[in-house]
Amino acid sequence: MNVMKPITPYYAVIFTSNLTGDDNVGYAEMAQQMQDLAKQQSGYLDFESAREEMGISISYWESLEAIAKWKANTDHLFAQQKGIKDWYSWYKVRICLVEREYDFER
Amino acid sequence: MNVMKPITPYYAVIFTSNLTGDDNVGYAEMAQQMQDLAKQQSGYLDFESAREEMGISISYWESLEAIAKWKANTDHLFAQQKGIKDWYSWYKVRICLVEREYDFER
């Protein structure tokens, strides 16, 4: 459940990916580690993800500076390199300004 | 596989949701219908989705005007009302400006 208050504008990094379909040994653990590590970064706001055929992971950030710092984080760089080498057949990264939001709760 | 050329800036609508966990009769069919219908709209660019616990659906659009027209589409309005009445326990909509993008392909 997302209880984040509206604080637009903020930033979203949409990361969509397909895995190679090989064993993907270590992928789930690394994904969890990176999610945990992202939460500790300055400017981090939230994280959402789901995978069926395609995986979609969205991290939310206060600023472009926070995103740039997270991208350059040493452990994250290692994970990115491992992803390119072993896990992903394709991915796409989109840097987005979240201009407006609204929600519904039963 | 996404073969869309870089044409930033454009818009993304991030729709994250949780289902009620009841039968969700008709939900999958309606979701597919709405995806098919969205593709026929003016200004539509792309669609990506995945669901595990949380569902994430992202539609991509040329402009805010295209998004507003799609939101007000009669069949889509019916689906939105049905979603609130029967399917969703929670959802959140974020309107985003995609400022930058890059991808990797093996």
Side-chain angles (χ1 to χ4, degrees):
Chain A
M1 193 63 55
N2 192 320
V3 293
M4 191 167 67
K5 283 196 195 159
I7 47 163
T8 51
Y10 58 93
Y11 281 88
V13 179
I14 303 175
F15 180 81
T16 43
S17 65
N18 290 323
L19 298 176
T20 55
D22 302 339
D23 284 350
N24 302 128
V25 175
Y27 174 73
E29 293 76 8
M30 181 67 93
Q32 185 61 53
Q33 272 181 40
M34 286 306 110
Q35 187 175 339
D36 295 343
L37 189 60
K39 284 183 187 176
Q40 299 166 27
Q41 306 307 305
S42 172
Y44 168 91
L45 294 174
D46 205 352
F47 184 84
E48 298 171 330
S49 74
R51 177 174 294 281
E52 283 180 290
E53 258 186 90
M54 167 181 281
I56 305 178
S57 297
I58 312 176
S59 56
Y60 298 98
W61 301 89
E62 284 178 1
S63 66
L64 289 174
E65 292 69 28
I67 293 168
K69 278 187 76 172
W70 169 234
K71 194 185 179 206
N73 173 286
T74 308
D75 292 337
H76 189 201
L77 277 179
F78 176 79
Q80 291 169 56
Q81 286 158 7
K82 183 112 176 87
I84 287 175
K85 183 169 162 287
D86 293 340
W87 293 320
Y88 296 118
S89 61
W90 168 84
Y91 69 71
K92 182 157 186 165
V93 177
R94 293 178 175 92
I95 314 293
C96 311
L97 180 67
V98 182
E99 298 185 343
R100 210 153 48 81
E101 63 185 1
Y102 58 91
D103 58 9
F104 159 76
E105 187 150 7
R106 187 169 296 271
Chain B
M1 192 62 54
N2 192 320
V3 294
M4 191 167 66
K5 282 196 196 161
I7 48 164
T8 52
Y10 57 94
Y11 282 88
V13 179
I14 302 175
F15 180 80
T16 43
S17 66
N18 290 322
L19 298 175
T20 55
D22 302 338
D23 283 351
N24 302 128
V25 175
Y27 173 74
E29 293 76 7
M30 180 68 93
Q32 185 60 53
Q33 272 180 41
M34 286 306 110
Q35 186 174 340
D36 295 344
L37 189 60
K39 284 182 188 174
Q40 299 166 28
Q41 306 308 306
S42 173
Y44 168 92
L45 295 173
D46 205 355
F47 185 84
E48 298 172 330
S49 74
R51 178 175 293 280
E52 283 180 289
E53 258 185 89
M54 168 180 279
I56 305 178
S57 296
I58 312 176
S59 56
Y60 299 99
W61 302 88
E62 284 178 1
S63 67
L64 289 175
E65 291 69 29
I67 293 169
K69 277 187 77 171
W70 169 234
K71 194 186 179 206
N73 173 285
T74 307
D75 292 337
H76 189 201
L77 276 179
F78 175 78
Q80 291 169 55
Q81 286 158 7
K82 183 112 177 88
I84 287 175
K85 183 170 164 286
D86 293 339
W87 294 318
Y88 297 117
S89 62
W90 167 84
Y91 68 70
K92 182 158 186 165
V93 177
R94 292 178 175 93
I95 313 294
C96 311
L97 180 68
V98 182
E99 297 185 342
R100 210 152 48 81
E101 64 185 359
Y102 57 92
D103 58 10
F104 159 77
E105 186 150 8
R106 187 170 296 271

